[in-house]
Amino acid sequence: MNTATVSLAVTPTVLSTFLSHYLKRKPLRERPTAHLSYDEGLHLVRSFLSFASHHTVEELQAFTAQWVPHPQWVKVKEVEIPEETLLESAAALEEQLGPEGIRKVGGKKWWQWRQLQSPLKAEWIEMRSDYNQRMKLGDPGKRVMLYVHGGAYFFGSVDEHRYQMQRHARKLKARVFAPEYRLAPQFPFPCGLQDCLAAYLFLLKSQEPSTIILAGDSAGGGMVLSMLVIMRDQGIPLPAGAILISPWVDLTHSFPSVSGDCPLDYIPPCGFHHKPSASWPPLNADDYNKLKDEIAKARSGSTPTPKPSSVEIHKQNDGPGHSSDVDNLDQSPLKSWAETTYLGVKVDGEQVLLKDQIQMYTTNELISHPLVSPVMQPSLGGLPPLLIMTGGGEILRDEQIYLAHKCADPEKYPPGDIHMSESAREQVSRFKPTDVQLQIWDDLCHVAPTLSFTRPAKYMYRSVAQFGAWALARAQKTEIEILDDDQISFISSSGSESGGEQADRQKEVVRPEVSGQQPHVGRAGDPLPPFKKHMIRQRVDRHGVVRPLEPASELPGCTLDPNEIGVVKEGPVKKWLEMRRQWDVRFGSTRTKVHKKRLKEMMAGYQGFDGEVPPPSALAARRKAVGDVAAKKKKKSMGLALWSLWGSKHDESTVQREQDAENSPETKVTTKQEGVGARSPSDLQRQGEDVANQRPPTGRSQSRTKTVKDENQTLEAEASTNTPIESLMARREGRLAQNTGRLSSQHNGTLAPPLTGVAGKRPIVGGIAVPFSLDKEADTASMITLTSAMDQSMRVGSPTWVGADKDDASVTSRTTASKLHPVAGVSPGLLGAPADDLGAVSPLDEFGTPAASATVSPLATPLTEGGKDKGREEGVGEFPSGDLATPGDRPGLESFVTAEEDLPRVQ
């Protein structure tokens, strides 16, 4: 596979889709395919997957793993996950699997093995403008998205998905961390899960969990859910939230939608089939027995190698013969070679035993394991807030809808009786419901954000940013600013719609909030709707218009018998068998050649793992005795680069408009005679912030940023009519739980005064109501001054001693940041360290990771000067939390700097 062959294969599809789109427009009118870009993208992906099935798994993996250049306005940095972090992840995974799980996967060493020169790598992806701003402020960042890419667990890469990740980074003004986890079938379960969990543990070494959200699409969504379960069960700090985009959470295909027809999806209904190779399909029991016989004959004399069996099913009517075969499985080579167990299912009234492995991610025995198919977990409660996005036209929609309801109501959706045990019952009763926002997007395909250049996908990116901003604000118990890019990020119309119809829909649908007719999908910074019974249940059309989702009793995925979940059904098996027969006929000779090669390798011998039995598809089971083979280097892909360029076009236009808006005033030529009497830029900036704060929430905001906070949608604590207003306000602002002890010591057990004084609501900056007056006792919140008796650590404008050798600007930003209280979201292990420990704080590299070996001088504070602890030298004892010690007589006000502006220093 290469760019030329793929282009030749998909070009006829592109041309035929273009013609049929205009010739047969009427059936497409009310569906997402009414947009030409969506119609072309859907058929292009479907054509690509069909073409890829005629090639080997290795060829598809190599094509999708090629290097793709990133735009210059995106900052990308590659890092390696240390070996000790991988060991920590392996230990947590072993504990979660338990003895029985380790036995089923074949041991606990083989899945930790890696190829030579193939460490676990990951990429930091961030908008370059955001990166430059963080470096200028010395900010490690409080918004990190760990993104796990999809690809059915066996193809795809960070390079291929980067154009999607960079948009998440831009919308959320965050840094995206994407691991290059190992792929099946060469590295089956639990190899990829260990890598992704190690990536999260790596982040925890430099980030607070409240600053991290997880995200994943398709197989990546299922991986994220399994990671969350492991964190919950093993006591690993949970992130702020998770976003699951079309998650694949049932590898048994037991839900109704998989058995039906899905013409609006690109996922093959018959499953993934590929040209035979060394990696796929693996040996079944019959093939292995024949190869063993050939080895014995070859050692005694030369004999021709017969064609290997391509029969992967064993039909028998119910009777003694069937029982005997099943009972004798333990004595067959199946168990000695870690071969997958038979799957039994009735097809057309006959019992069929599937011998071949049907999923690349794991063996047939493990496809219903709770870490492989998370819907089989006893309980999915106790997880951070989840956003689950489902395409209404995708083949996996029913399992995703069931997943959302199971998370929000674990007791209503327990495992079936055949899976229920005492430990399962204990989990169901122990974990509280998980807050879930479920969005079903009408008629959209699997992982619609893949088609990032289409209108429906742009609405989905908005919704992801809205939920992500809310989850981060809620976890950090503070307000965060988010980019409001409505004026520069446009959702354009499809070129296939007529002019009049297009104009009407632009007025009526793209901005329905103006007319107030219909609710619209939220943008980053918009308040999240309230949760009802731990759920936000929404249906969204292709124009982003939201309407309530029908009751669970009317959804097929929620009415399935619990005992039928995790049981392989007849419909998917029939489709799979029919396509497998065609592939056996087409590639029978190729499979014979592959088995001859395998025969020679088996005669030469393989390296083992001290008696462990890896799955038959695992590369660890086929390590040659002569030594390991290093992974191949990546090559540049023109095809993927063009696809990424198409997907990045909207982001490029948005970034360009943003740069034009910011740089246009600087290009104007100004003389001294112009602008006399004009207000200063700092004054205009403060005015704009005041106007933005006072503007009502209705309509489109003109501000470049929005403030996002948790508005208690989840109703975690109920309030009674007797609850004091001070308590309610403190709880709403997120101050009550964190500051109770400190407020009690300073105010004799009484609550702190509310942030709004009797004079009315005033702007709040770090706990200070401004504007303020000087040299006057603080009667109300609006009268608090620099000399008022209050907690100094909460004040952004706290005075900072400026020495003669200090630069005002650098001291201002660093000292101001160091004085922020942890409530404001500062990491306790970073800027909020005690004065005694400041000297031990390691500097951060350009992506916020502590440097390995470097030291920095303490921050300039009233207790430090010139990098020394002044308090220790002068015999000053420990100060209470939040108090400041000023050296000698207090200098004049001109020597102080505040968070708002740098005042001149006395010469």
Side-chain angles (χ1 to χ4, degrees):
M1 291 180 65
N2 53 53
T3 301
T5 57
V6 172
S7 300
L8 290 175
V10 301
T11 297
T13 301
V14 173
L15 296 177
S16 62
T17 303
F18 181 82
L19 295 176
S20 64
H21 182 84
Y22 287 99
L23 296 177
K24 302 177 182 179
R25 293 178 57 185
K26 190 173 181 180
L28 308 176
R29 184 176 299 274
E30 300 302 327
R31 292 181 173 179
T33 46
H35 307 286
L36 177 60
S37 58
Y38 184 91
D39 200 13
E40 287 280 16
L42 176 66
H43 287 84
L44 193 151
V45 174
R46 185 185 296 163
S47 176
F48 170 77
L49 292 177
S50 176
F51 172 74
S53 65
H54 294 78
H55 294 75
T56 65
V57 167
E58 293 91 337
E59 290 175 327
L60 176 59
Q61 290 174 338
F63 181 81
T64 57
Q66 294 179 97
W67 173 64
V68 178
H70 58 83
Q72 61 180 359
W73 36 268
V74 176
K75 174 69 175 179
V76 174
K77 181 183 179 182
E78 189 179 74
V79 297
E80 290 187 6
I81 310 297
E83 181 67 23
E84 55 268 21
T85 307
L86 287 168
L87 295 177
E88 293 177 22
S89 174
L93 192 51
E94 289 178 24
E95 188 68 22
Q96 185 73 16
L97 286 171
E100 181 63 17
I102 292 176
R103 183 195 67 81
K104 289 183 177 180
V105 299
K108 56 184 179 180
K109 293 181 180 179
W110 69 263
W111 45 269
Q112 300 184 47
W113 170 77
R114 314 183 72 88
Q115 288 180 283
L116 290 177
Q117 303 176 1
S118 299
L120 175 57
K121 297 182 179 180
E123 276 190 7
W124 282 109
I125 303 170
E126 185 179 13
M127 304 303 291
R128 188 172 294 275
S129 58
D130 296 338
Y131 165 79
N132 293 335
Q133 184 179 4
R134 281 198 314 103
M135 292 298 100
K136 186 176 181 180
L137 299 177
D139 181 12
K142 300 175 185 176
R143 306 174 201 175
V144 175
M145 174 184 285
L146 172 59
Y147 195 97
V148 182
H149 70 80
Y153 293 108
F154 76 94
F155 72 96
S157 65
V158 174
D159 283 270
E160 183 195 32
H161 284 73
R162 190 186 298 115
Y163 74 95
Q164 302 176 46
M165 302 176 191
Q166 69 194 27
R167 183 171 298 185
H168 290 305
R170 180 180 66 81
K171 286 286 190 181
L172 196 55
K173 203 175 178 65
R175 297 184 295 153
V176 175
F177 190 70
E180 283 279 11
Y181 62 92
R182 292 169 292 173
L183 298 175
Q186 299 94 327
F187 296 95
F189 170 82
C191 296
L193 186 56
Q194 181 205 4
D195 292 350
C196 294
L197 185 60
Y200 180 75
L201 295 177
F202 175 78
L203 285 181
L204 289 182
K205 298 181 185 303
S206 59
Q207 297 286 147
E208 291 296 318
S210 61
T211 65
I212 305 172
I213 56 174
L214 305 187
D217 64 87
S218 189
M223 191 87 78
V224 165
L225 197 58
S226 295
M227 291 168 58
L228 291 174
V229 171
I230 295 176
M231 297 175 204
R232 179 198 67 182
D233 294 346
Q234 301 304 319
I236 302 173
L238 290 168
I243 299 163
L244 311 180
I245 305 172
S246 298
W248 188 18
V249 290
D250 177 28
L251 272 67
T252 64
H253 292 326
S254 59
F255 284 85
S257 61
V258 184
S259 299
D261 295 329
C262 294
L264 297 176
D265 200 8
Y266 54 75
I267 298 296
C270 57
F272 292 98
H273 297 264
H274 286 271
K275 181 180 178 180
S277 65
S279 298
W280 186 262
L283 297 175
N284 59 35
D286 290 344
D287 295 336
Y288 179 64
N289 283 333
K290 287 187 177 183
L291 288 181
K292 279 181 51 177
D293 294 341
E294 289 303 314
I295 291 176
K297 293 178 181 179
R299 289 172 178 173
S300 59
S302 177
T303 57
T305 303
K307 184 177 179 179
S309 172
S310 61
V311 179
E312 61 282 323
I313 62 174
H314 182 60
K315 293 186 177 181
Q316 282 188 339
N317 294 326
D318 294 340
H322 168 70
S323 301
S324 174
D325 283 352
V326 175
D327 293 339
N328 291 332
L329 286 180
D330 290 336
Q331 286 75 37
S332 70
L334 198 66
K335 295 294 182 182
S336 62
W337 188 244
E339 189 54 80
T340 182
T341 56
Y342 292 160
L343 281 180
V345 60
K346 282 191 175 183
V347 177
D348 297 329
E350 291 185 310
Q351 185 74 14
V352 177
L353 296 180
L354 297 177
K355 293 182 179 180
D356 276 358
Q357 184 173 321
I358 61 175
Q359 298 289 6
M360 297 191 196
Y361 186 45
T362 191
T363 60
N364 292 349
E365 184 180 12
L366 289 173
I367 57 174
S368 60
H369 191 279
L371 291 179
V372 175
S373 297
V375 291
M376 303 301 296
Q377 287 286 345
S379 173
L380 290 173
L383 304 179
L386 303 177
L387 169 62
I388 300 177
M389 310 181 80
T390 300
E394 69 170 293
I395 196 170
L396 304 179
R397 62 182 180 274
D398 282 348
E399 63 192 65
Q400 298 161 14
I401 295 172
Y402 172 84
L403 169 71
H405 290 79
K406 181 180 178 68
C407 291
D409 196 349
E411 294 185 356
K412 186 177 179 180
Y413 299 93
D417 296 336
I418 56 177
H419 301 288
M420 185 62 74
S421 62
E422 289 300 325
S423 60
R425 291 187 179 89
E426 190 270 336
Q427 278 198 19
V428 172
S429 60
R430 175 158 54 107
F431 296 117
K432 296 181 179 179
T434 300
D435 296 312
V436 180
Q437 181 181 10
L438 171 64
Q439 290 183 336
I440 303 178
W441 295 72
D442 292 344
D443 298 324
L444 287 190
C445 63
H446 183 68
V447 194
T450 301
L451 310 178
S452 62
F453 42 82
T454 65
R455 181 194 288 181
K458 294 172 184 176
Y459 284 118
M460 298 184 81
Y461 281 104
R462 282 187 169 186
S463 188
V464 169
Q466 179 198 23
F467 181 87
W470 170 81
L472 289 169
R474 175 181 179 273
Q476 298 174 23
K477 297 182 175 62
T478 186
E479 298 179 352
I480 65 173
E481 288 187 343
I482 198 72
L483 183 66
D484 182 14
D485 60 355
D486 272 7
Q487 300 300 317
I488 56 176
S489 179
F490 306 125
I491 297 183
S492 57
S493 302
S494 171
S496 64
E497 295 180 345
S498 61
E501 180 184 2
Q502 173 180 335
D504 292 341
R505 289 183 176 173
Q506 283 286 67
K507 296 178 181 178
E508 174 181 339
V509 178
V510 176
R511 292 189 61 189
E513 63 268 24
V514 176
S515 59
Q517 292 180 355
Q518 294 175 308
H520 203 259
V521 66
R523 300 182 299 270
D526 289 348
L528 207 65
F531 289 84
K532 297 180 180 179
K533 296 183 179 179
H534 303 282
M535 287 196 75
I536 300 175
R537 309 172 73 253
Q538 299 173 323
R539 274 199 180 272
V540 190
D541 68 8
R542 63 189 175 97
H543 299 292
V545 177
V546 176
R547 65 185 187 276
L549 180 65
E550 53 266 29
S553 58
E554 300 179 14
L555 301 173
C558 296
T559 57
L560 188 65
D561 183 359
N563 292 313
E564 291 295 321
I565 297 176
V567 178
V568 179
K569 300 298 190 298
E570 176 182 359
V573 170
K574 290 181 66 175
K575 297 177 184 178
W576 188 87
L577 287 176
E578 178 60 30
M579 185 58 65
R580 187 57 182 271
R581 291 190 187 98
Q582 297 179 20
W583 250 240
D584 283 342
V585 172
R586 179 174 299 179
F587 298 111
S589 59
T590 303
R591 190 174 184 181
T592 301
K593 295 178 181 178
V594 170
H595 284 203
K596 285 183 179 180
K597 184 177 180 181
R598 175 70 67 87
L599 177 62
K600 294 180 180 178
E601 293 178 354
M602 292 176 64
M603 294 180 64
Y606 292 128
Q607 291 185 8
F609 284 92
D610 297 331
E612 294 189 354
V613 280
S617 69
L619 190 60
R622 297 180 282 113
R623 291 195 305 164
K624 298 180 180 180
V626 295
D628 296 341
V629 180
K632 297 181 180 180
K633 294 183 178 180
K634 294 182 179 180
K635 298 181 180 180
K636 182 179 179 180
S637 170
M638 289 301 299
L640 291 180
L642 293 174
W643 176 261
S644 177
L645 180 63
W646 191 14
S648 304
K649 201 66 179 176
H650 174 75
D651 297 289
E652 183 179 7
S653 302
T654 301
V655 170
Q656 186 62 46
R657 283 190 290 266
E658 182 179 5
Q659 292 176 351
D660 293 342
E662 292 179 351
N663 295 334
S664 55
E666 300 176 1
T667 59
K668 182 179 178 179
V669 178
T670 307
T671 63
K672 294 182 179 180
Q673 290 76 18
E674 296 179 5
V676 177
R679 298 164 65 183
S680 66
S682 60
D683 188 21
L684 291 174
Q685 183 179 2
R686 285 193 295 270
Q687 172 187 288
E689 294 173 354
D690 293 340
V691 172
N693 290 334
Q694 297 173 7
R695 181 175 296 133
T698 58
R700 179 175 290 184
S701 172
Q702 302 298 321
S703 172
R704 293 300 310 282
T705 59
K706 289 185 177 181
T707 299
V708 183
K709 62 181 180 180
D710 178 25
E711 298 187 358
N712 200 25
Q713 287 95 336
T714 56
L715 299 177
E716 294 177 347
E718 299 292 338
S720 65
T721 56
N722 298 326
T723 304
I725 185 64
E726 293 86 357
S727 299
L728 292 176
M729 296 181 65
R731 182 182 303 165
R732 186 175 183 84
E733 297 296 332
R735 297 181 291 107
L736 186 59
Q738 299 91 326
N739 300 337
T740 301
R742 179 167 51 81
L743 293 175
S744 299
S745 62
Q746 295 185 5
H747 298 283
N748 298 325
T750 61
L751 290 172
L755 294 181
T756 55
V758 297
K761 186 174 182 180
R762 313 291 295 191
I764 303 298
V765 179
I768 300 177
V770 293
F772 50 80
S773 61
L774 297 175
D775 300 329
K776 183 176 180 180
E777 189 67 24
D779 298 328
T780 68
S782 62
M783 304 293 289
I784 296 177
T785 69
L786 289 173
T787 59
S788 300
M790 64 176 294
D791 181 11
Q792 300 292 328
S793 64
M794 289 289 291
R795 297 172 56 179
V796 177
S798 298
T800 301
W801 177 257
V802 181
D805 58 339
K806 297 290 191 295
D807 177 71
D808 287 352
S810 63
V811 171
T812 300
S813 60
R814 293 182 354 187
T815 307
T816 300
S818 68
K819 285 302 174 184
L820 289 175
H821 194 270
V823 173
V826 177
S827 173
L830 188 61
L831 298 179
D836 293 344
D837 297 331
L838 287 175
V841 176
S842 298
L844 302 176
D845 65 9
E846 56 183 357
F847 280 86
T849 306
S853 59
T855 58
V856 295
S857 60
L859 300 177
T861 67
L863 295 179
T864 61
E865 185 174 0
K868 299 179 180 180
D869 193 332
K870 189 172 182 179
R872 289 179 178 173
E873 292 181 359
E874 298 181 3
V876 181
E878 294 185 359
F879 290 89
S881 174
D883 292 345
L884 293 175
T886 57
D889 297 334
R890 181 181 179 183
L893 182 62
E894 293 79 3
S895 299
F896 288 82
V897 291
T898 69
E900 293 296 323
E901 60 180 334
D902 295 343
L903 298 177
R905 194 172 44 176
V906 177
Q907 301 297 332

